[in-house]
Coordinates of all heavy atoms in Angstrom, one line a residue:
M1 N 0.4 20.6 -19.7 CA 1.4 20.9 -18.7 C 1.7 19.7 -17.9 O 0.7 19.1 -17.4 CB 1.0 22.1 -17.8 CG 1.9 22.3 -16.6 SD 1.4 23.4 -15.4 CE 1.5 24.9 -16.3
D2 N 2.9 19.3 -17.8 CA 3.3 18.1 -17.0 C 3.7 18.7 -15.6 O 4.7 19.3 -15.4 CB 4.5 17.4 -17.6 CG 4.9 16.2 -16.8 OD1 4.7 16.1 -15.6 OD2 5.5 15.3 -17.5
V3 N 2.8 18.5 -14.6 CA 3.0 19.0 -13.3 C 4.2 18.4 -12.6 O 4.9 19.1 -11.7 CB 1.8 18.8 -12.4 CG1 0.6 19.7 -12.9 CG2 1.4 17.4 -12.2
F4 N 4.6 17.2 -12.9 CA 5.8 16.6 -12.3 C 7.0 17.2 -12.8 O 8.0 17.4 -12.1 CB 5.8 15.1 -12.5 CG 4.6 14.4 -11.8 CD1 3.5 14.0 -12.5 CD2 4.6 14.3 -10.4 CE1 2.4 13.4 -11.9 CE2 3.5 13.7 -9.8 CZ 2.4 13.3 -10.5
K5 N 7.1 17.5 -14.1 CA 8.2 18.2 -14.7 C 8.3 19.6 -14.1 O 9.4 20.1 -13.8 CB 8.2 18.3 -16.2 CG 8.5 16.9 -16.9 CD 8.5 17.0 -18.4 CE 8.7 15.7 -19.0 NZ 8.6 15.8 -20.5
L6 N 7.2 20.3 -14.0 CA 7.1 21.6 -13.4 C 7.7 21.6 -12.0 O 8.5 22.4 -11.6 CB 5.7 22.2 -13.4 CG 5.6 23.5 -12.7 CD1 6.4 24.6 -13.4 CD2 4.1 23.9 -12.6
R7 N 7.3 20.6 -11.2 CA 7.8 20.4 -9.8 C 9.3 20.2 -9.8 O 10.0 20.9 -9.0 CB 7.1 19.2 -9.1 CG 7.7 19.1 -7.7 CD 7.4 17.7 -7.2 NE 8.0 17.5 -5.8 CZ 9.2 17.1 -5.6 NH1 10.0 16.8 -6.6 NH2 9.7 17.0 -4.4
E8 N 9.8 19.4 -10.7 CA 11.2 19.2 -10.7 C 12.0 20.4 -11.1 O 13.1 20.7 -10.5 CB 11.6 18.1 -11.7 CG 11.2 16.7 -11.3 CD 11.7 16.3 -9.9 OE1 12.9 16.5 -9.7 OE2 11.0 15.8 -9.1
K9 N 11.4 21.2 -12.0 CA 12.0 22.5 -12.3 C 12.1 23.5 -11.2 O 13.1 24.1 -10.9 CB 11.3 23.1 -13.5 CG 11.9 24.4 -14.0 CD 11.2 25.0 -15.3 CE 12.0 26.1 -15.8 NZ 11.5 27.3 -15.8
V10 N 11.0 23.6 -10.5 CA 10.9 24.5 -9.3 C 11.8 24.0 -8.2 O 12.6 24.8 -7.6 CB 9.4 24.5 -8.8 CG1 9.4 25.3 -7.5 CG2 8.5 25.2 -9.8
V11 N 11.9 22.7 -7.9 CA 12.8 22.2 -6.9 C 14.2 22.4 -7.3 O 15.0 22.8 -6.5 CB 12.5 20.7 -6.7 CG1 13.6 20.0 -5.9 CG2 11.2 20.5 -6.0
S12 N 14.5 22.2 -8.6 CA 15.9 22.4 -9.1 C 16.3 23.9 -8.9 O 17.4 24.2 -8.4 CB 16.0 22.0 -10.5 OG 17.3 22.3 -11.0
E13 N 15.4 24.8 -9.3 CA 15.8 26.2 -9.2 C 15.9 26.6 -7.7 O 16.8 27.4 -7.3 CB 14.7 27.0 -9.9 CG 14.8 26.9 -11.4 CD 13.8 27.7 -12.2 OE1 12.9 28.4 -11.5 OE2 13.7 27.6 -13.4
Y14 N 15.0 26.2 -6.9 CA 15.0 26.5 -5.5 C 16.3 25.9 -4.8 O 16.9 26.6 -4.0 CB 13.8 26.0 -4.8 CG 13.7 26.4 -3.3 CD1 13.6 27.7 -2.9 CD2 13.6 25.4 -2.3 CE1 13.5 28.1 -1.6 CE2 13.5 25.8 -1.0 CZ 13.5 27.1 -0.6 OH 13.4 27.5 0.7
S15 N 16.6 24.7 -5.2 CA 17.8 24.1 -4.7 C 19.1 24.9 -5.0 O 20.0 25.1 -4.2 CB 18.0 22.6 -5.2 OG 19.2 22.1 -4.8
S16 N 19.1 25.3 -6.3 CA 20.2 26.2 -6.7 C 20.3 27.5 -6.0 O 21.4 27.9 -5.6 CB 20.1 26.5 -8.2 OG 20.3 25.3 -9.0
Y17 N 19.1 28.1 -5.7 CA 19.1 29.3 -5.0 C 19.6 29.1 -3.5 O 20.4 29.8 -3.0 CB 17.6 29.8 -4.9 CG 17.4 30.9 -3.9 CD1 17.9 32.2 -4.1 CD2 16.7 30.7 -2.8 CE1 17.7 33.2 -3.2 CE2 16.5 31.7 -1.8 CZ 17.0 32.9 -2.0 OH 16.8 33.9 -1.1
I18 N 19.1 28.1 -2.9 CA 19.5 27.8 -1.5 C 21.0 27.5 -1.4 O 21.7 28.1 -0.5 CB 18.7 26.6 -0.9 CG1 17.2 26.9 -0.8 CG2 19.3 26.1 0.4 CD1 16.9 27.9 0.2
T19 N 21.5 26.7 -2.3 CA 22.9 26.3 -2.2 C 23.8 27.4 -2.6 O 25.0 27.4 -2.3 CB 23.2 25.0 -3.0 OG1 22.8 25.2 -4.3 CG2 22.5 23.9 -2.3
S20 N 23.3 28.4 -3.3 CA 24.2 29.5 -3.9 C 24.8 30.3 -2.7 O 25.8 30.9 -3.0 CB 23.4 30.4 -4.9 OG 22.4 31.2 -4.2
F21 N 24.1 30.4 -1.6 CA 24.7 31.3 -0.5 C 25.2 30.4 0.6 O 25.5 31.0 1.7 CB 23.7 32.3 -0.1 CG 22.3 31.8 0.4 CD1 22.2 31.3 1.7 CD2 21.3 31.8 -0.5 CE1 21.0 30.9 2.1 CE2 20.0 31.3 0.0 CZ 19.9 30.8 1.3
L22 N 25.2 29.1 0.5 CA 25.8 28.3 1.6 C 27.3 28.1 1.3 O 27.7 27.6 0.3 CB 25.1 26.9 1.6 CG 23.7 26.8 2.0 CD1 23.2 25.4 1.9 CD2 23.5 27.3 3.4
K23 N 28.0 28.6 2.3 CA 29.5 28.4 2.2 C 29.9 27.9 3.6 O 30.4 28.6 4.5 CB 30.2 29.8 2.0 CG 29.7 30.4 0.7 CD 30.7 31.2 0.0 CE 30.2 31.9 -1.3 NZ 29.1 31.4 -2.0
I24 N 29.9 26.5 3.7 CA 30.2 25.8 4.9 C 31.6 25.3 4.8 O 31.9 24.5 3.9 CB 29.2 24.7 5.2 CG1 27.8 25.3 5.2 CG2 29.5 24.0 6.4 CD1 26.7 24.2 5.2
L25 N 32.5 25.8 5.7 CA 33.9 25.4 5.6 C 34.2 24.0 6.3 O 35.0 23.3 5.9 CB 34.7 26.5 6.3 CG 34.6 27.9 5.6 CD1 35.5 28.9 6.3 CD2 35.0 27.8 4.1
D26 N 33.4 23.7 7.4 CA 33.7 22.5 8.0 C 33.2 21.3 7.2 O 32.0 21.2 6.8 CB 32.9 22.4 9.4 CG 33.2 21.2 10.2 OD1 32.7 20.1 9.8 OD2 33.9 21.3 11.2
P27 N 34.0 20.4 6.8 CA 33.7 19.3 5.9 C 32.5 18.4 6.5 O 31.7 18.0 5.7 CB 34.9 18.5 5.7 CG 36.1 19.4 6.1 CD 35.5 20.3 7.1
A28 N 32.5 18.1 7.7 CA 31.5 17.3 8.3 C 30.1 18.0 8.3 O 29.1 17.3 7.9 CB 31.8 16.9 9.8
I29 N 30.1 19.2 8.6 CA 28.8 20.0 8.6 C 28.4 20.1 7.1 O 27.2 20.0 6.8 CB 29.0 21.3 9.3 CG1 29.3 21.1 10.8 CG2 27.7 22.2 9.1 CD1 29.6 22.4 11.5
N30 N 29.3 20.4 6.2 CA 29.0 20.6 4.8 C 28.4 19.3 4.3 O 27.4 19.3 3.5 CB 30.2 20.9 4.0 CG 29.9 21.3 2.6 OD1 28.9 22.0 2.3 ND2 30.7 20.8 1.7
K31 N 29.0 18.1 4.6 CA 28.4 16.8 4.2 C 27.0 16.6 4.8 O 26.1 16.2 4.0 CB 29.3 15.7 4.6 CG 28.8 14.3 4.1 CD 29.8 13.2 4.4 CE 29.3 11.8 4.0 NZ 28.0 11.6 3.6
F32 N 26.8 16.9 6.0 CA 25.5 16.7 6.7 C 24.5 17.6 6.0 O 23.4 17.1 5.6 CB 25.6 17.1 8.1 CG 24.3 17.1 8.8 CD1 23.8 15.9 9.3 CD2 23.5 18.2 9.0 CE1 22.6 15.8 10.0 CE2 22.3 18.1 9.7 CZ 21.8 16.9 10.2
V33 N 24.8 18.9 5.7 CA 23.8 19.8 5.1 C 23.6 19.3 3.6 O 22.4 19.2 3.2 CB 24.3 21.2 5.1 CG1 23.5 22.1 4.2 CG2 24.4 21.7 6.6
S34 N 24.6 18.9 2.9 CA 24.4 18.5 1.5 C 23.6 17.2 1.5 O 22.7 17.1 0.6 CB 25.8 18.2 0.9 OG 26.5 19.4 0.7
D35 N 23.8 16.3 2.4 CA 23.0 15.0 2.5 C 21.6 15.3 2.7 O 20.7 14.8 2.1 CB 23.6 14.1 3.5 CG 24.9 13.5 3.2 OD1 25.3 13.6 2.0 OD2 25.5 12.8 4.0
K36 N 21.3 16.3 3.7 CA 19.9 16.6 4.0 C 19.2 17.3 2.8 O 18.1 17.0 2.5 CB 19.9 17.6 5.2 CG 20.2 16.9 6.5 CD 19.1 15.9 6.8 CE 19.4 15.2 8.2 NZ 18.4 14.2 8.5
L37 N 19.9 18.2 2.1 CA 19.3 18.8 1.0 C 19.1 17.8 -0.2 O 18.1 17.9 -0.8 CB 20.2 20.0 0.5 CG 20.3 21.2 1.4 CD1 21.3 22.2 0.9 CD2 19.0 21.8 1.6
S38 N 20.0 16.9 -0.3 CA 19.9 15.9 -1.4 C 18.7 14.9 -1.1 O 18.1 14.4 -2.0 CB 21.2 15.1 -1.5 OG 22.2 15.9 -2.0
S39 N 18.4 14.7 0.2 CA 17.3 13.9 0.6 C 16.0 14.5 0.4 O 15.0 13.8 0.5 CB 17.5 13.4 2.0 OG 17.2 14.4 2.9
G40 N 16.0 15.8 0.1 CA 14.7 16.5 -0.2 C 14.0 17.0 1.1 O 12.8 17.2 1.1
V41 N 14.8 17.3 2.1 CA 14.2 17.8 3.4 C 13.5 19.1 3.2 O 12.5 19.4 3.9 CB 15.3 17.9 4.5 CG1 16.3 19.1 4.2 CG2 14.7 18.1 5.8
L42 N 13.9 19.9 2.2 CA 13.1 21.2 2.0 C 12.0 21.1 1.0 O 11.3 22.1 0.8 CB 14.2 22.3 1.6 CG 15.2 22.7 2.6 CD1 16.1 23.8 2.0 CD2 14.5 23.2 3.9
W43 N 12.0 20.0 0.2 CA 11.0 19.9 -0.8 C 10.4 18.5 -0.8 O 10.9 17.6 -1.4 CB 11.6 20.2 -2.2 CG 13.0 19.9 -2.3 CD1 13.6 18.7 -2.7 CD2 14.1 20.8 -2.1 NE1 14.9 18.8 -2.7 CE2 15.3 20.1 -2.3 CE3 14.2 22.1 -1.7 CZ2 16.5 20.6 -2.2 CZ3 15.4 22.7 -1.6 CH2 16.6 21.9 -1.8
P44 N 9.4 18.3 0.0 CA 8.8 16.9 0.1 C 8.2 16.4 -1.2 O 8.0 17.2 -2.2 CB 7.7 17.1 1.1 CG 7.3 18.5 1.1 CD 8.6 19.3 0.7
T45 N 8.0 15.1 -1.3 CA 7.4 14.5 -2.5 C 6.0 15.1 -2.8 O 5.3 15.5 -1.9 CB 7.3 13.0 -2.4 OG1 6.5 12.7 -1.3 CG2 8.7 12.4 -2.3
P46 N 5.6 15.2 -4.0 CA 4.3 15.7 -4.4 C 3.2 14.9 -3.9 O 3.3 13.7 -3.8 CB 4.3 15.8 -5.9 CG 5.3 14.8 -6.3 CD 6.3 14.7 -5.2
L47 N 2.1 15.5 -3.6 CA 0.9 14.8 -3.1 C -0.1 14.8 -4.3 O -0.4 15.8 -4.9 CB 0.2 15.6 -2.0 CG -1.2 15.1 -1.6 CD1 -1.1 13.7 -1.0 CD2 -1.8 16.1 -0.6
V48 N -0.5 13.6 -4.7 CA -1.4 13.4 -5.8 C -2.7 12.8 -5.2 O -2.6 11.8 -4.5 CB -0.8 12.4 -6.8 CG1 -1.9 12.2 -7.9 CG2 0.5 12.9 -7.4
Q49 N -3.8 13.4 -5.4 CA -5.1 12.9 -4.9 C -6.2 13.3 -5.8 O -6.0 14.2 -6.7 CB -5.3 13.4 -3.5 CG -5.5 15.0 -3.4 CD -5.5 15.4 -2.0 OE1 -4.9 14.9 -1.1 NE2 -6.3 16.4 -1.7
L50 N -7.3 12.7 -5.7 CA -8.5 13.0 -6.5 C -9.4 13.7 -5.6 O -9.6 13.4 -4.4 CB -9.1 11.7 -7.0 CG -8.3 10.9 -7.9 CD1 -9.0 9.6 -8.3 CD2 -7.9 11.6 -9.2
S51 N -10.1 14.7 -6.1 CA -11.1 15.5 -5.4 C -12.4 14.7 -5.3 O -13.0 14.3 -6.3 CB -11.4 16.8 -6.1 OG -12.4 17.5 -5.4
P52 N -12.9 14.5 -4.0 CA -14.2 13.8 -3.9 C -15.4 14.7 -4.2 O -16.5 14.3 -4.0 CB -14.1 13.4 -2.4 CG -13.3 14.5 -1.8 CD -12.3 14.9 -2.8
A53 N -15.2 15.9 -4.6 CA -16.2 16.9 -4.8 C -17.0 16.6 -6.1 O -18.1 17.1 -6.3 CB -15.7 18.3 -4.9
Y54 N -16.5 15.7 -7.0 CA -17.1 15.4 -8.2 C -18.1 14.2 -8.1 O -17.8 13.3 -7.4 CB -16.1 15.1 -9.3 CG -15.2 16.3 -9.6 CD1 -13.9 16.4 -9.1 CD2 -15.7 17.3 -10.4 CE1 -13.1 17.5 -9.3 CE2 -14.9 18.5 -10.7 CZ -13.6 18.5 -10.1 OH -12.8 19.6 -10.4
Q55 N -19.2 14.3 -8.8 CA -20.1 13.2 -8.8 C -19.6 12.0 -9.6 O -19.1 12.2 -10.7 CB -21.4 13.6 -9.5 CG -22.5 12.6 -9.5 CD -23.8 13.1 -10.1 OE1 -24.0 14.3 -10.2 NE2 -24.7 12.2 -10.5
P56 N -19.5 10.8 -9.0 CA -19.0 9.7 -9.7 C -19.9 9.3 -11.0 O -21.1 9.4 -10.9 CB -19.0 8.6 -8.7 CG -19.7 9.1 -7.5 CD -20.0 10.5 -7.7
A57 N -19.2 8.9 -12.0 CA -19.9 8.5 -13.2 C -19.5 7.1 -13.6 O -20.3 6.2 -13.7 CB -19.7 9.5 -14.3
Q58 N -18.2 7.0 -14.0 CA -17.7 5.7 -14.4 C -16.7 5.2 -13.3 O -16.1 6.0 -12.6 CB -16.9 5.8 -15.7 CG -17.8 6.1 -16.9 CD -16.9 6.3 -18.1 OE1 -16.0 7.1 -18.2 NE2 -17.3 5.6 -19.2
T59 N -16.5 3.9 -13.3 CA -15.5 3.3 -12.4 C -14.2 3.5 -13.0 O -14.1 3.7 -14.3 CB -15.8 1.8 -12.1 OG1 -15.6 1.1 -13.4 CG2 -17.2 1.6 -11.6
I60 N -13.1 3.3 -12.2 CA -11.8 3.4 -12.8 C -11.6 2.3 -13.8 O -11.0 2.5 -14.8 CB -10.7 3.3 -11.6 CG1 -10.9 4.6 -10.8 CG2 -9.3 3.2 -12.2 CD1 -10.0 4.6 -9.5
E61 N -12.1 1.1 -13.5 CA -11.9 0.0 -14.5 C -12.6 0.3 -15.8 O -12.0 0.1 -16.9 CB -12.6 -1.3 -13.9 CG -12.3 -2.5 -14.8 CD -12.8 -3.8 -14.1 OE1 -13.4 -3.7 -13.0 OE2 -12.6 -4.8 -14.8
E62 N -13.8 0.9 -15.8 CA -14.4 1.3 -17.0 C -13.6 2.4 -17.8 O -13.5 2.3 -19.0 CB -15.8 1.9 -16.7 CG -16.8 0.8 -16.2 CD -18.1 1.4 -15.7 OE1 -18.1 2.6 -15.3 OE2 -19.1 0.6 -15.6
M63 N -13.1 3.3 -17.0 CA -12.3 4.4 -17.7 C -11.0 3.8 -18.3 O -10.5 4.2 -19.3 CB -12.0 5.5 -16.7 CG -13.2 6.3 -16.4 SD -12.9 7.8 -15.5 CE -12.7 7.2 -13.9
V64 N -10.4 2.8 -17.6 CA -9.2 2.2 -18.1 C -9.5 1.4 -19.4 O -8.8 1.5 -20.4 CB -8.5 1.3 -17.1 CG1 -7.5 0.4 -17.7 CG2 -7.9 2.1 -15.9
N65 N -10.6 0.7 -19.3 CA -11.1 -0.1 -20.5 C -11.4 0.8 -21.7 O -11.3 0.4 -22.8 CB -12.3 -1.0 -20.1 CG -11.9 -2.1 -19.2 OD1 -10.7 -2.5 -19.1 ND2 -12.8 -2.6 -18.5
A66 N -11.8 2.0 -21.4 CA -12.2 3.0 -22.5 C -10.9 3.8 -22.9 O -11.1 4.7 -23.7 CB -13.3 3.9 -22.0
D67 N -9.8 3.4 -22.4 CA -8.5 4.1 -22.7 C -8.5 5.6 -22.2 O -7.9 6.5 -22.9 CB -8.1 4.0 -24.2 CG -7.7 2.6 -24.5 OD1 -7.1 1.9 -23.7 OD2 -8.0 2.2 -25.7
L68 N -9.3 5.9 -21.2 CA -9.3 7.3 -20.7 C -8.3 7.4 -19.5 O -7.9 8.5 -19.2 CB -10.7 7.6 -20.1 CG -11.8 7.6 -21.2 CD1 -13.2 7.8 -20.5 CD2 -11.6 8.7 -22.2
L69 N -7.9 6.3 -18.9 CA -6.9 6.3 -17.9 C -5.8 5.2 -18.2 O -6.1 4.3 -18.9 CB -7.5 5.9 -16.5 CG -8.5 7.0 -15.9 CD1 -9.0 6.4 -14.6 CD2 -7.8 8.3 -15.6
H70 N -4.7 5.5 -17.7 CA -3.6 4.5 -17.8 C -3.9 3.2 -17.0 O -4.5 3.3 -15.9 CB -2.3 5.1 -17.3 CG -1.1 4.3 -17.6 ND1 -0.7 3.2 -16.9 CD2 -0.1 4.5 -18.6 CE1 0.4 2.7 -17.4 NE2 0.8 3.5 -18.4
P71 N -3.6 2.1 -17.6 CA -3.9 0.8 -16.9 C -3.4 0.7 -15.4 O -3.9 0.1 -14.6 CB -3.3 -0.3 -17.7 CG -3.2 0.3 -19.1 CD -3.0 1.8 -18.9
L72 N -2.3 1.4 -15.2 CA -1.7 1.4 -13.8 C -2.6 2.0 -12.8 O -2.6 1.7 -11.6 CB -0.4 2.2 -13.8 CG 0.5 2.1 -12.5 CD1 0.8 0.7 -12.1 CD2 1.8 2.9 -12.8
C73 N -3.6 2.8 -13.2 CA -4.6 3.4 -12.3 C -5.4 2.4 -11.6 O -5.8 2.6 -10.5 CB -5.5 4.4 -13.1 SG -4.6 5.9 -13.6
L74 N -5.6 1.3 -12.2 CA -6.3 0.2 -11.5 C -5.6 -0.3 -10.3 O -6.2 -0.5 -9.2 CB -6.5 -1.0 -12.5 CG -7.6 -1.0 -13.5 CD1 -7.6 -2.1 -14.4 CD2 -9.0 -0.9 -12.8
E75 N -4.3 -0.4 -10.4 CA -3.5 -0.8 -9.3 C -3.4 0.3 -8.2 O -3.5 0.1 -7.0 CB -2.1 -1.2 -9.7 CG -1.2 -1.7 -8.6 CD -1.6 -3.0 -8.0 OE1 -2.3 -3.8 -8.7 OE2 -1.3 -3.3 -6.8
I76 N -3.2 1.5 -8.7 CA -3.0 2.7 -7.7 C -4.3 2.9 -6.9 O -4.2 3.1 -5.7 CB -2.6 3.9 -8.5 CG1 -1.2 3.7 -9.2 CG2 -2.7 5.1 -7.6 CD1 -0.9 4.8 -10.1
F77 N -5.4 2.8 -7.6 CA -6.7 3.2 -6.9 C -7.6 2.0 -6.5 O -8.8 2.2 -6.3 CB -7.5 4.2 -7.7 CG -6.7 5.5 -8.0 CD1 -6.2 5.8 -9.2 CD2 -6.5 6.4 -7.0 CE1 -5.5 6.9 -9.5 CE2 -5.8 7.6 -7.2 CZ -5.3 7.8 -8.4
K78 N -7.0 0.8 -6.5 CA -7.8 -0.4 -6.3 C -8.5 -0.4 -4.9 O -9.5 -1.0 -4.8 CB -7.0 -1.6 -6.5 CG -6.0 -1.9 -5.5 CD -5.3 -3.2 -5.8 CE -4.1 -3.4 -4.8 NZ -3.4 -4.6 -5.1
N79 N -7.9 0.3 -3.9 CA -8.5 0.3 -2.6 C -9.3 1.6 -2.4 O -9.6 2.0 -1.2 CB -7.4 0.1 -1.5 CG -6.8 -1.2 -1.6 OD1 -7.5 -2.2 -1.8 ND2 -5.5 -1.3 -1.4
N80 N -9.6 2.3 -3.4 CA -10.3 3.6 -3.3 C -11.7 3.4 -2.6 O -12.5 2.6 -3.0 CB -10.5 4.2 -4.7 CG -11.1 5.6 -4.6 OD1 -10.9 6.3 -3.6 ND2 -11.7 6.1 -5.6
G81 N -11.9 4.1 -1.5 CA -13.2 4.0 -0.8 C -13.3 2.9 0.2 O -14.3 2.7 0.7
K82 N -12.2 2.2 0.4 CA -12.3 1.1 1.4 C -11.5 1.4 2.7 O -10.7 2.2 2.7 CB -11.6 -0.2 0.8 CG -12.4 -0.7 -0.4 CD -11.8 -2.0 -0.9 CE -12.7 -2.6 -2.0 NZ -12.1 -3.7 -2.6

């Protein structure tokens, strides 16, 4: 399961639901509301984090070298624990 695709689907469906009953006649207010909804005011960006509850075994560098993690993980988590 791709959690990011799932999030996009949920956001898309929720956005369709919210906008389905909005009937704003004033053009300025309609633009303001549309801009806010388009900016994601009701659906913030996803939070991605690692749980510290697991006992460490390999470093991120070791897992990247073993092709267990994407190489970009080195850059993303290089300050982990600092």
Side-chain angles (χ1 to χ4, degrees):
M1 171 187 291
D2 184 333
V3 294
F4 296 104
K5 285 183 183 176
L6 175 62
R7 178 200 178 272
E8 289 305 316
K9 183 175 189 246
V10 170
V11 167
S12 175
E13 289 177 3
Y14 185 60
S15 176
S16 293
Y17 167 73
I18 293 294
T19 58
S20 71
F21 58 83
L22 292 178
K23 304 214 181 332
I24 303 170
L25 299 179
D26 184 288
I29 295 173
N30 188 44
K31 180 177 179 351
F32 177 82
V33 170
S34 293
D35 289 348
K36 288 295 183 183
L37 291 175
S38 295
S39 75
V41 71
L42 295 180
W43 31 85
T45 57
L47 171 65
V48 178
Q49 63 187 37
L50 298 176
S51 173
Y54 297 100
Q55 180 179 346
Q58 293 177 308
T59 66
I60 292 173
E61 185 175 2
E62 290 169 339
M63 290 189 282
V64 167
N65 290 339
D67 291 327
L68 298 172
L69 291 177
H70 190 280
L72 188 56
C73 290
L74 279 173
E75 182 67 25
I76 293 170
F77 299 109
K78 71 180 175 184
N79 293 323
N80 188 23
K82 292 183 180 177

